[in-house]
Amino acid sequence: MASDCIIEIEGLHTHFGSTVIHENISLNVYKGEILSLVGGSGSGKTTLLRQMLGLETPAQGSVKIFGYSRYDCDFDLLKSLRNRSGVLFQQGALFSALTVFDNIALPMRELHCLDEEMIRDLVMLKLDMVEVAAQHANKMPAELSGGMIKRVALARALALDPELLFLDEPTAGLDPALSESFVELIQALRQELTLTIVMVTHDLDTLAAISTRIAVLADQRLVALGKLADIIKIDHPFIKDFFLGKRGQNALGKLLTHS
Amino acid sequence: MSPSNLNDDASPWYQVITGQDGPCIRLTGSYTLSALDRQLRKVAAKLARFAAQSDLYWDLTGIQQMDHAGAVLIWRAWGRRRPAHLLIRPEQERLFMHLEKAHPAPKPVRRDILWPILTLGRRYFLFWDHLLGIITLSGLVLLNVFYLLKHPRQIPLREISANLFRTGAQALGITALVGFLIGIVLSYLTSEQLHTFGADVFIVNILGMSIIRELGPMLAAILVAGRSGSSMTAQLGVMRVTEELDALTVMGIPHSLRLVLPKIIGLGLAMPLVVLWTSAIALLGGILAADLQIGLNFQYALSSLPDAVPVANLWIGLGKGVVCGMMIALIACHFGLRIKPNTESLGEGTTNSVVTSITAVILIDAVFAVVFSNVGLKIPR
Ligand SMILES: Nc1ncnc2c1ncn2[C@@H]1O[C@H](COP(=O)(O)OP(=O)(O)OP(=O)(O)O)[C@@H](O)[C@H]1O
Ligand SMILES: [Mg+2]
């Protein structure tokens, strides 16, 4: 169904200098699904995410979001598309000159249709959702711990209740309890809203808990794409190492004994 | 449901119906930020009016989608508490429970009434703080110099040479351009005046004296303060933001030795050379302009220069260069190391560094003028 396709990537090639990162990658992301991107460190997951966001241009191939390629967007359209998607960067990318509160309030203020009272309530709600205590609201990003930066960045990504979320390693640097509540948060959000998520993660528990489909990047290509149960049956060295190693067996225990 | 076909009297957001238990308001449609968009305030005001009726039944089960913004909107319309009669889906229930226990935002810090006095006082103390900081840093660097004298193998030669190249060699272009133009302007303005008195030959004295003793060193120092001072501050500041300074510390490499000292030595060496270069180009420009304007002979000008300008002036100019260069680097490093890990502080620190070092350069010039007031000014006849 073409209308349900939120992101379409076709024949994408990327290289930095002479290093080839992606070779002929085609990938569709459908409405309402959670697509997890996995791959070894340096396999180009972040780069692929940045290309979906229009921050980098692939050497070849096309990337369409909500049916529009970045080049047939005028300013207003681009702005409204950007408002429909939220991004969590790998390093958080909080504005270092703004407090936690202002960081989350910024995208809301940019809409110019919310009053300050409402923004205050919304920000506190978001902080509550990601389990950051209210007393941290007036801190600067430099005064936060690594995990707190991640959670505040997630709150900022969720600020406008986007229908499309890009998450680059959302649970890296969180303790297991917080990772668990991240999973719950995403599941709760998905009950209320049709949320599409593209997520990069190495965290097998999170991966198993929430992803509807998994895309595996290895050897510059998309070596597998599908449900977790199907992926682990594929015979590829990276998939074997990633899912069927010691850690994988612990995390996916039940699924593996079934198959 | 798209926001465009929402129209006011159709009221796609709610219907008021009369149920068995009395009047009931049924909320419908999408209570999401993207759907509400421009209608948000209007809807909020209308719902608030309904919420004033206490016996109204609220039915939220007809809502297709509700995001946080929609929930907050309804919650605020209710006056931050649940209405007496409420019909609601479990997932909505969860959202409102979150809202119920959400903490109020901490109040932003209010400004004190005495803030002008406080600001002034803070400024005053900040000034002494900076002065103390600069003195401390220079002391540290001095200690490092003693240390390096004992351990000459640890002298950071590579860094010094890199700084020499960056602050010296790469500054040649801009200082030459500015020096040349100032020389031309100066010569152009004075030569006409001298010509009317028939004192053409004194153009060499005026140009030589002013450029070698004052203008050359000052031009070079101000340009270098803006150019290299700012880049040094920004470099150290970014290293603070990205925690590189901390990484150096834990490796046991002191900032003052590896970062500050090479900059001070590098600029201390580069500055007199840049001064020499700027003065030479400015003189060249002046003499060329005088040549065109009043027909001053180029050969004559060059040969009479040593008689017109005592060589002490050159040494004073170069001395100013050394002192200014080291001072600029010291101030730039001081401000760079004080930058806090955020972008605003980075911008502020760089500005402060440049402003302070230009002020310092002019102060140094004044001190030189007073101290050397009777050196090199008398022309031996
Ligand atoms: N701007 C750039 N210039 C040159 N090479 C780059 C650039 N950005 C990324 N690369 C290279 O592209 C490759 C993929 O990088 P990318 O950040 O996408 O990895 P990743 O899959 O996100 O890895 P990780 O899981 O460690 O975050 C790496 O080899 C990296 O060195
Ligand atoms: Mg990455």
Side-chain angles (χ1 to χ4, degrees), chain B residues 168-190:
Chain B
Q170 292 188 337
L172 293 184
I174 183 71
T175 46
L177 180 69
V178 172
F180 191 73
L181 292 178
I182 294 282
I184 288 179
V185 170
L186 187 68
S187 162
Y188 182 75
L189 290 179
T190 44

Side-chain angles (χ1 to χ4, degrees), chain A residues 45-46 90 168-169 200:
Chain A
K45 305 179 294 294
T46 301
Q90 195 166 3
D168 200 344
E169 310 212 355
V200 173

